[in-house]
Amino acid sequence: MGKFEITTRKNGEYQFNLKAGNGQVILSSEGYTTKSACNNGIESVRKNSQDDSKFERKTSSNGKPYFNLKASNGQAIGNSEMYESESSRDNGIESVKKNAPDAEVSDLS
């Protein structure tokens, strides 16, 4: 089962990582100024991860595939790591879809 981990960045902002059952980070958030905004981001991931059209499949300047998850307003709420192949990226998207809705939240901040 996946989990969201809330941590504090060096600049004092909060962020979350969604981890798959194997502990691998499958989605990372932006920085949030408050913990409540960070929790809102988690809820947005839970909701939007079930809509395939919210996943923006991209390729970085060095040719590595990755994805962003966007909210209804078009703002990115999470981004993935860089993958070695498009099929690996697509597996990452499926993992977010599977893990996000029921993932527990672990506050490490």
Side-chain angles (χ1 to χ4, degrees):
M1 185 164 133
K3 71 176 172 179
F4 288 98
E5 288 185 346
I6 298 174
T7 56
T8 309
R9 294 180 170 181
K10 287 185 175 126
N11 66 0
E13 290 184 336
Y14 297 94
Q15 78 169 60
F16 63 81
N17 288 315
L18 173 59
K19 292 187 172 185
N22 64 6
Q24 183 176 356
V25 174
I26 52 178
L27 191 73
S28 297
S29 75
E30 63 183 359
Y32 294 94
T33 55
T34 66
K35 194 179 291 185
S36 112
C38 188
N39 280 309
N40 288 343
I42 290 171
E43 290 310 310
S44 185
V45 168
R46 289 188 199 278
K47 183 176 81 174
N48 290 291
S49 65
Q50 301 310 291
D51 182 348
D52 190 68
S53 70
K54 299 288 177 26
F55 288 91
E56 185 178 39
R57 293 155 174 86
K58 302 186 84 158
T59 304
S60 69
S61 57
N62 66 359
K64 300 227 182 220
Y66 70 102
F67 64 87
N68 291 328
L69 176 60
K70 298 210 164 196
S72 301
N73 64 5
Q75 183 177 355
I77 48 178
N79 57 333
S80 73
E81 64 180 0
M82 299 294 166
Y83 292 96
E84 293 301 318
S85 68
E86 289 185 6
S87 64
S88 294
R89 176 196 60 205
D90 293 343
N91 288 340
I93 290 171
E94 291 307 311
S95 185
V96 170
K97 288 178 181 177
K98 182 178 110 185
N99 285 285
D102 303 316
E104 65 181 48
V105 177
S106 178
D107 189 345
L108 306 176
S109 64

